[in-house]
Amino acid sequence: MNQKALLTQTVQKGGCAAKIPAEELREILSMVNFKTGSKDILVDGSSMDDAGVVQISADLALVQTLDFFTPIVDTPYLFGQIAAANALSDVYAMGGSPRTAMAILAVPLLNMSKEIIAEILQGASDKMAEAQTDLIGGHSIDDDTLKFGLSVTGYVHPQKIWKNSGARCGDRIILTKPLGTGTATAALKRQVVSEEDIQDEIKSMCQLNDIFNHSACNFYSSIHSATDITGFGLAGHVVQMARASQKTINLFMHKIPRFKKTEAFLRAGYLTKAHRTNKSYVSKEMQIESVGDIEQKLLCDPQTSGGLLLSVAEESSAALINHLHEKNILACEIGQVESVAHPLRVIISS
Ligand code: CO
Ligand code: CO
């Protein structure tokens, strides 16, 4: 492969859009008899939360997560940055601080130069340094398809875990990044746009979700629930939060942030299989047909390294949004939590 290797052209599917569809994953997991019930396990995979949590002592728990995928952009260094930011995000989404990481790497050794592989690792290493996370090991194999990611371990206080099940009536729903990375990277993979054309999306995917790194701990108790938006799109992740919390979430469609070119990309038909599978995943619990076709696709757009979705006490929402804006983090109030209206979990207002 030459130096300006177009990484996205070496794989069939890119980024979080390559996740196993949620319905199929649920079916597979339901066929396995897992050991459960250990008292020190505070969060396991059963609630489809972002990470697992194990208690170590009265004031310390470990958050553990793993994320890896195929290339989502063409520049190796940027792919490394995005893969790391995406993997670290699940620790932030639990209210934790990442501490260490292990790398998982599969490379087509015959067709890919060592320089390219090194650039991917450099991108990840620089992003981990920004997150004050040390890489302490990993595993690599020779494989047909390039895949890279991290297993991240972080710290969290056992009483300050943000589960996806904590949303309360009256809470405001805040989203911290625009939607649209799925359709933008689908356009890149088809080579109808360049990385330059989607630089806003790439910058956003590289951005850490460490929204509380520099203060704002005051808001910890106001945040009742959190998750990050990745492969299942805003639709899939908001349904999971509503389901886990046993609440209805009312989304305000016109307040949902998107990148400048997102609607044009969706209209042009730059889609992934996940746009379809995400829609069918949410169709029973979300009133998705109530909005237009492009809005439906926006809600189902699979994000890679997407923003945090926070359920915040009503009285703290405006102050939190101001605080995030001061730190140059986009934060939009996109909905609110209401009492349960079974079986509909998510409704959409214009
Ligand atoms: Co997540
Ligand atoms: Co994940």
Side-chain angles (χ1 to χ4, degrees):
M1 187 188 286
N2 62 21
Q3 202 43 40
K4 256 288 149 193
L6 295 179
L7 287 190
T8 59
Q9 301 308 305
T10 69
V11 296
Q12 284 191 316
K13 304 184 183 83
C16 287
K19 264 188 172 182
I20 296 180
E23 277 175 321
E24 285 180 55
L25 182 60
R26 204 146 59 148
E27 201 186 319
I28 295 166
L29 296 180
S30 74
M31 291 155 66
V32 184
N33 191 5
F34 290 105
K35 170 190 177 293
T36 55
S38 302
K39 288 215 167 52
D40 53 347
I41 302 299
L42 304 180
V43 180
D44 63 17
S46 61
S47 56
M48 302 201 82
D49 227 316
D50 297 290
V53 184
V54 55
Q55 183 152 9
I56 303 298
S57 68
D59 55 7
L60 179 67
L62 291 186
V63 188
Q64 295 181 293
T65 176
L66 166 65
D67 249 289
F68 69 100
F69 48 56
T70 50
I72 186 88
V73 291
D74 289 321
T75 302
Y77 182 84
L78 291 175
F79 172 48
Q81 290 234 308
I82 293 168
N86 182 72
L88 289 157
S89 175
D90 279 328
V91 173
Y92 295 125
M94 300 302 287
S97 306
R99 181 65 199 91
T100 59
M102 312 282 274
I104 175 166
L105 173 68
V107 279
L109 267 182
L110 268 183
N111 311 322
M112 200 164 277
S113 75
K114 294 186 177 63
E115 286 72 24
I116 289 175
I117 301 164
E119 282 172 36
I120 294 169
L121 294 174
Q122 191 63 59
S125 173
D126 290 353
K127 192 49 71 177
M128 282 183 272
E130 190 186 328
Q132 292 158 313
T133 299
D134 292 281
L135 185 70
I136 56 171
H139 188 80
S140 53
I141 58 167
D142 189 1
D143 191 11
D144 295 342
T145 309
L146 175 64
K147 303 172 193 87
F148 176 68
L150 300 175
S151 172
V152 185
T153 297
Y155 298 149
V156 70
H157 191 287
Q159 257 76 58
K160 290 180 174 172
I161 301 167
W162 295 338
K163 299 181 195 174
N164 61 6
S165 58
R168 301 183 198 168
C169 282
D171 279 1
R172 300 308 159 113
I173 298 293
I174 294 176
L175 178 64
T176 66
K177 287 183 185 180
L179 301 180
T181 65
T183 187
T185 52
L188 181 70
K189 182 153 174 46
R190 290 194 199 185
Q191 298 185 283
V192 291
V193 298
S194 65
E195 285 185 340
E196 180 84 23
D197 297 324
I198 59 164
Q199 52 181 302
D200 290 351
E201 287 87 342
I202 290 177
K203 206 173 145 213
S204 172
M205 289 189 284
C206 290
Q207 192 186 326
L208 291 175
N209 276 332
D210 62 340
I211 59 171
F212 291 102
N213 222 5
H214 316 283
S215 68
C217 299
N218 309 346
F219 291 100
Y220 255 105
S221 58
S222 311
I223 297 173
H224 299 146
S225 184
T227 190
D228 60 346
I229 308 299
T230 55
F232 304 142
L234 174 62
H237 293 282
V238 81
V239 160
Q240 286 176 348
M241 181 183 279
R243 188 192 290 150
S245 302
Q246 293 287 300
K247 296 286 180 297
T248 289
I249 293 179
N250 186 355
L251 289 182
F252 309 135
M253 193 67 223
H254 70 283
K255 290 194 178 171
I256 296 173
R258 60 210 76 177
F259 295 100
K260 278 191 218 95
K261 295 174 185 165
T262 300
E263 284 180 31
F265 289 154
L266 290 171
R267 218 162 258 127
Y270 304 138
L271 302 173
T272 65
K273 183 181 160 206
H275 284 92
R276 248 192 358 266
T277 56
N278 287 344
K279 185 178 166 184
S280 87
Y281 173 58
V282 302
S283 60
K284 277 193 213 77
E285 292 169 285
M286 182 169 189
Q287 179 208 30
I288 191 152
E289 304 279 357
S290 68
V291 292
D293 179 55
I294 296 303
E295 274 100 355
Q296 291 181 31
K297 291 187 167 115
L298 178 74
L299 291 166
C300 294
D301 193 65
Q303 304 306 288
T304 296
S305 192
L308 293 179
L309 188 75
L310 306 168
S311 182
V312 182
E314 181 186 359
E315 63 275 14
S316 306
S317 177
L320 174 59
I321 286 174
N322 278 339
H323 175 85
L324 293 175
H325 288 175
E326 273 165 25
K327 289 165 52 175
N328 280 325
I329 294 168
L330 171 138
C332 297
E333 199 175 282
I334 63 161
Q336 78 187 40
V337 182
E338 299 171 358
S339 62
V340 68
H342 198 73
L344 211 55
R345 299 273 187 224
V346 178
I347 52 179
I348 313 169
S349 313
S350 53

